[in-house]
């Protein structure tokens, strides 16, 4: 089978890489060679993994980005890194994105009463310089609000507004009596920690949902992205 190379962003926080490695270990299909890699800050880098595949005699690979948004890393960084290994025919799968909405909502429901009309939810994400990526998170928050009846707004750890304190203030102004922070992060790390610190400083009673990667549905989605990308590559060959 064509190898699956899962690529995460990477982090200076070792918890992040450990979580990604655990996720990749859960991706299983008979005979499938699954490898973990990172764009930056953690090892092995995706370019090193692709070169290892070339040395092992592989001619093709499917790279699945372990990313929640189609922002700079997915649209620019990853294709540029893949292009550094021209000896390998690489198909890049879609990001994980909104297909993990159910996982994020279930994490929220594990810490907050989502039927509470007084609930205000901050959907916290990393933030991007690309407005469309931020709008995708904001649209998810609006969808939750429409479907479930609680107040919900997006907030970002960097590169975009509002930040978490501003989002909490907005929810309070709209009548929210209890605040929960939902996670749009795969793994723990420095930015999720920043989100948590800001949320607790703004409201000591806030409850915080956990990141998503250890839910079995994430590994299933990675495998589904691989299968879809591989089929597309076969059609175009």
């Amino acid at each position: 089978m064509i190898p699956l190379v899962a690529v995460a962003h990477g982090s200076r926080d070792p918890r992040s890489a450990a979580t990604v490695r655990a996720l990749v270990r859960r991706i299983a299909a008979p005979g499938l060679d699954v490898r973990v890699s990172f764009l930056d800050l953690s090892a092995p880098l995706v370019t090193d993994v692709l070169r290892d595949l070339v040395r092992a005699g592989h001619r093709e690979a499917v790279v699945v980005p372990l990313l929640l948004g189609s922002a700079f890393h997915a649209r620019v960084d990853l294709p540029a890194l893949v292009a550094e290994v021209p000896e390998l025919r690489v198909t890049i799968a879609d990001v994980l994105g909104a297909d993990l909405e159910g996982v994020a909502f279930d994490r929220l429901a594990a810490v907050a009463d989502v039927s509470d009309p007084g609930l205000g939810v901050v959907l916290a994400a990393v933030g991007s310089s690309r407005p469309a990526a931020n709008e995708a998170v904001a649209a998810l928050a609006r969808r939750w609000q429409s479907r479930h009846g609680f107040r919900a707004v997006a907030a970002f750890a960097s590169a975009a507004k509002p930040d978490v304190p501003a989002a909490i203030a907005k929810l309070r102004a709209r009548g929210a009596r209890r605040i929960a922070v939902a996670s749009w992060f795969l793994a723990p790390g420095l930015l999720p920690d920043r989100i948590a610190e800001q949320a607790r400083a703004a409201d000591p009673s806030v409850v915080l949902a956990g990141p998503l990667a250890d839910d079995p549905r994430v590994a299933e989605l990675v495998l589904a992205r691989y299968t879809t990308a591989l089929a597309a590559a076969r059609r175009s060959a």
Side-chain angles (χ1 to χ4, degrees), residues 43-136:
L45 298 177
V46 63
T47 47
D48 293 334
V49 171
L50 296 179
R51 290 186 181 109
D52 284 346
L53 290 174
V54 172
R55 284 190 287 269
H58 291 282
R59 297 183 178 180
E60 297 181 63
V62 173
V63 169
V64 181
L66 303 183
L67 302 171
L68 295 179
S70 183
F72 190 86
H73 295 305
R75 295 167 64 86
V76 179
D77 282 347
L78 182 54
L81 291 169
V82 165
E84 293 182 17
V85 191
E87 306 92 335
L88 197 66
R89 181 184 175 191
V90 176
T91 301
I92 302 177
D94 289 340
V95 298
L96 304 182
D99 284 342
L100 291 180
E101 174 180 350
V103 177
F105 184 81
D106 289 348
R107 289 292 159 94
L108 170 66
V111 299
D113 179 2
V114 294
S115 67
D116 177 5
L119 181 66
V121 173
V122 177
L123 178 58
V126 60
S128 171
S129 59
R130 184 171 182 256
N134 300 322
E135 172 54 27

Side-chain angles (χ1 to χ4, degrees), residues 6 19-28 34-37 66:
T19 300
V20 169
R21 293 178 191 283
L23 164 61
V24 171
R25 286 194 295 270
R26 289 191 293 272
I27 302 167
V34 182
R35 309 211 180 185
V36 66
S37 68
L66 303 183

Side-chain angles (χ1 to χ4, degrees), residues 147-169:
R147 289 178 181 174
H148 303 288
F150 51 67
R151 301 158 185 83
V153 296
F156 304 98
S158 63
K161 298 294 184 181
D163 62 11
V164 168
I168 291 175

